[in-house]
Amino acid sequence: GCIAVTDAEVKQYMERGVRRERIEVIPNGIDVGSFEKLPQRGSFRSERTIKDDEIIFLYLGKITPRKGLLYLIRAFSYIQKNLSARLIIAGNDMGYLNVVRREARRLGVEGKIEFTGLLVGEEKLKAYVDADLLIYPSAYEIFGLVPFEAILCGTPAVVSDDSGCGEIIGKAKIGITAPYGDSTALAKAMEWMISHTAEAREMVERGKAFIRKNFTWESIAEKTIDFYCRMIDEKG
């Protein structure tokens, strides 16, 4: 038997000849407890001299081609014309940062984008807490923990529909999705989230409950043990 974390991974198994009945969907787990005590709101803004009235759009993840950062920068270029906003790109450069910077310069928004490098621990939590919106525009993302971590910190999320996390977020209605590679659609999704704060808040609260019910390590462990036992019994 094979374990897939989302239906997106199920399809990959089946493309390689694994029969559907031999595949069990068990999502990745999240250490929910590590998001119970969060930093004070405003710390990230203060440390980076971001104005109180500036909207913070946050991307957190590796800087690679498949993460969709060029589409994000184009979407940000479009919507920042009517907003006081800052785009924070936090993550390891995997050899693609210069390409991303060139696109920001070409569109004239480099001064409104901050590249922080990798954020971990308390610094990552500060960024989540202060962000007004988390954007995760990647492709081939079988699961993707980042949007779920953001939701646990009270931050709404927009994600690509070409991903496992997009699949989950769309079905559970705990965020909104945009077609991968479509900057116009991504910009519209970002604008909608920012302008519909009550609906975004409802998604976040629904998301917190969904994550605590489905993604705790205790729940994942039980499902994994059940699957192993079933496979052993079949071998019996």
Side-chain angles (χ1 to χ4, degrees):
C2 297
I3 293 176
V5 293
T6 57
D7 288 339
E9 193 173 23
V10 169
K11 292 175 185 175
Q12 292 189 4
Y13 276 127
M14 293 178 68
E15 287 169 359
R16 287 157 178 77
V18 181
R19 300 195 311 275
R20 179 62 185 88
E21 63 270 19
R22 308 307 298 174
I23 307 168
E24 187 78 2
V25 178
I26 302 175
N28 282 331
I30 296 175
D31 182 9
V32 174
S34 64
F35 297 91
E36 294 296 333
K37 187 177 181 181
L38 296 172
Q40 182 177 353
R41 188 168 177 81
S43 299
F44 188 83
R45 282 183 182 273
S46 175
E47 290 168 5
R48 297 180 181 276
T49 62
I50 300 173
K51 297 176 183 176
D52 290 341
D53 64 347
E54 277 189 285
I55 293 170
I56 296 178
F57 294 108
L58 173 67
Y59 164 84
L60 196 149
K62 292 178 181 178
I63 300 176
T64 65
R66 76 174 179 85
K67 293 293 187 175
L69 287 168
L70 297 186
Y71 306 116
L72 172 56
I73 288 174
R74 290 165 195 163
F76 176 72
S77 167
Y78 173 75
I79 65 175
Q80 60 83 36
K81 295 172 185 175
N82 303 313
L83 294 172
S84 175
R86 185 87 61 96
L87 173 60
I88 304 296
I89 296 180
N92 284 340
D93 175 23
M94 308 301 287
Y96 195 60
L97 180 58
N98 285 338
V99 176
V100 175
R101 283 188 181 277
R102 271 201 307 273
E103 185 67 359
R105 282 196 299 272
R106 184 182 76 82
L107 294 170
V109 293
E110 189 175 28
K112 295 188 177 183
I113 299 176
E114 184 172 345
F115 298 90
T116 67
L118 179 65
L119 297 178
V120 297
E122 186 80 356
E123 293 305 308
K124 180 173 75 168
L125 293 178
K126 287 178 182 178
Y128 279 144
V129 168
D130 277 10
D132 294 287
L133 183 65
L134 183 283
I135 306 102
Y136 205 62
S138 59
Y140 308 114
E141 197 74 50
I142 293 303
F143 190 80
L145 288 172
V146 169
F148 303 111
E149 291 180 346
I151 289 168
L152 286 172
C153 291
T155 300
V158 171
V159 303
S160 165
D161 64 356
D162 187 14
S163 66
C165 64
E167 166 195 314
I168 295 169
I169 282 173
K171 285 181 180 177
K173 297 180 180 174
I174 59 176
I176 58 177
T177 63
Y180 173 76
D182 188 335
S183 297
T184 301
L186 181 58
K188 288 179 180 178
M190 292 163 66
E191 285 182 321
W192 190 93
M193 265 308 198
I194 290 300
S195 61
H196 292 75
T197 54
E199 291 91 337
R201 174 55 47 196
E202 287 176 8
M203 289 180 189
V204 165
E205 293 306 314
R206 192 159 55 238
K208 288 179 181 178
F210 179 84
I211 293 164
R212 288 171 180 143
K213 179 181 178 181
N214 296 284
F215 294 159
T216 64
W217 277 115
E218 292 81 5
S219 169
I220 303 307
E222 287 177 8
K223 291 175 182 177
T224 304
I225 289 169
D226 287 345
F227 179 63
Y228 271 69
C229 290
R230 201 159 68 246
M231 293 297 100
I232 291 168
D233 288 342
E234 286 184 15
K235 278 288 189 181

